[in-house]
Amino acid sequence: MKITWFGTASLLIDCEGSRVLIDPFLPLKGAENHPSLLDYRKEDSILITHGHIDHLGSIPKILEHSDATVYCSPVPAATLEKKKADSDQIVIIRPGDKLYFGQIRVSILPGKHIRFDSALVRHTLCSPRILQFFPNFLSLLFHNHTYAEGNETLVFLLEADKKKILVLGSLALHETADYPKHVDMLILPYQGASDLVTAALAVIARIEPKTVLLTHFDDAFPPISRQIDTRPLKKVLSEKYPNLSVIKPTAGKEITFS
């Protein structure tokens, strides 16, 4: 199995030619990583964890140049229809559904979006980066209500090549959902809270994965996003879970997971 992280929460998972693209996003000006439309347009199957702009906002442009099918919950599906996306390219999915893409089986589980705490909001809004990236800031404000999450964040369990990968689009879990424990890999978005270590530990303690692959730690849509220092998390995890493997991927570089 091969995994490629393109930045933000954008992932491509490939199992012997069976491929699934998750949350593809074209970053804003000034972003840390720069995937292009060519990285996404050749894929046939796209999964969306939720409807925020950094997960859904590039889909209309991708669909203009692609025959891909997008699988998402009702709220992001409605957003795409408002953006004039072809309804024949959109399939609505819900928790409990199962999808099959060649050798990859996907189970749809309920998720939850992390809460943006007041300390993080104050830090972001008071940052001088607001002025530095003011056009981005205005655009993100304008699209904030257009790209709604609507309490419909999903979690994907991918099974292929005798491996189980649990993919999160946000750093939180639904309180009552029954998630599989001891999965081979947990895809963990690492952004969205002032105390990221505590938020990550809560998720990891509940799942107890064998491997954690970090995503969303990059500065993809400044000034709202920021580059996250992952060293404090790695230090705590090495002490608390010495047998846990933690991977911080490089954007665009394929990882072989065996």
Side-chain angles (χ1 to χ4, degrees):
M1 187 179 296
K2 298 176 181 178
I3 301 172
T4 305
W5 174 69
F6 293 104
T8 327
S10 305
L11 286 172
L12 176 64
I13 297 179
D14 183 332
C15 182
E16 297 182 6
S18 300
R19 297 159 70 95
V20 177
L21 182 62
I22 302 173
D23 289 349
F25 179 63
L26 297 169
L28 301 186
K29 186 176 181 180
E32 180 180 347
N33 296 305
H34 301 279
S36 72
L37 186 60
L38 293 175
D39 292 315
Y40 301 142
R41 61 182 294 183
K42 60 187 176 183
E43 305 306 332
D44 294 327
S45 304
I46 301 175
L47 295 174
I48 301 296
T49 59
H50 64 281
H52 280 161
I53 191 169
D54 53 319
H55 298 255
L56 188 71
S58 297
I59 294 297
K61 186 173 183 179
I62 293 171
L63 293 184
E64 286 180 9
H65 302 274
S66 167
D67 294 326
T69 301
V70 175
Y71 299 84
C72 60
S73 63
V75 166
T79 300
L80 291 177
E81 289 183 6
K82 291 177 183 176
K83 297 293 181 181
K84 310 301 182 184
D86 186 345
S87 60
D88 288 337
Q89 292 180 266
I90 303 168
V91 174
I92 293 178
I93 55 176
R94 295 177 173 86
D97 290 348
K98 295 187 185 299
L99 304 171
Y100 297 86
F101 305 103
Q103 298 187 49
I104 302 175
R105 171 183 172 179
V106 182
S107 300
I108 314 302
L109 306 173
K112 183 178 179 180
H113 199 279
I114 193 169
R115 176 180 172 272
F116 302 132
D117 57 271
S118 57
L120 176 65
V121 173
R122 285 195 305 270
H123 175 80
T124 301
L125 294 179
C126 294
S127 170
R129 300 179 82 230
I130 294 290
L131 294 177
Q132 182 183 359
F133 297 102
F134 195 65
N136 285 0
F137 180 64
L138 289 180
S139 177
L140 290 166
L141 279 181
F142 178 79
H143 291 295
N144 181 50
H145 296 293
T146 304
Y147 287 93
E149 184 265 341
N151 294 317
E152 285 188 0
T153 294
L154 300 175
V155 169
F156 303 130
L157 175 63
L158 279 68
E159 298 176 79
D161 197 26
K162 298 181 180 180
K163 298 289 185 183
K164 292 184 178 181
I165 300 178
L166 195 67
V167 181
L168 274 60
S170 185
L171 187 56
L173 295 172
H174 192 280
E175 293 85 351
T176 60
D178 185 18
Y179 297 110
K181 300 189 73 170
H182 310 298
V183 294
D184 296 288
M185 178 179 284
L186 171 66
I187 307 293
L188 190 70
Y190 197 57
Q191 189 137 199
S194 54
D195 187 354
L196 285 167
V197 171
T198 298
L201 285 174
V203 172
I204 291 168
R206 189 166 165 187
I207 303 299
E208 297 182 20
K210 298 175 184 177
T211 302
V212 169
L213 188 143
L214 300 174
T215 65
H216 224 324
F217 54 81
D218 59 326
D219 191 8
F221 44 101
I224 303 304
S225 63
R226 58 195 175 103
Q227 187 182 64
I228 304 297
D229 185 356
T230 61
R231 289 174 298 179
L233 176 64
K234 287 183 176 181
K235 183 176 185 299
V236 171
L237 291 178
S238 68
E239 297 169 352
K240 192 173 181 65
Y241 301 100
N243 295 321
L244 176 64
S245 175
V246 181
I247 301 172
K248 180 182 179 181
T250 299
K253 185 176 181 179
E254 187 177 82
I255 295 170
T256 298
F257 183 54
S258 58

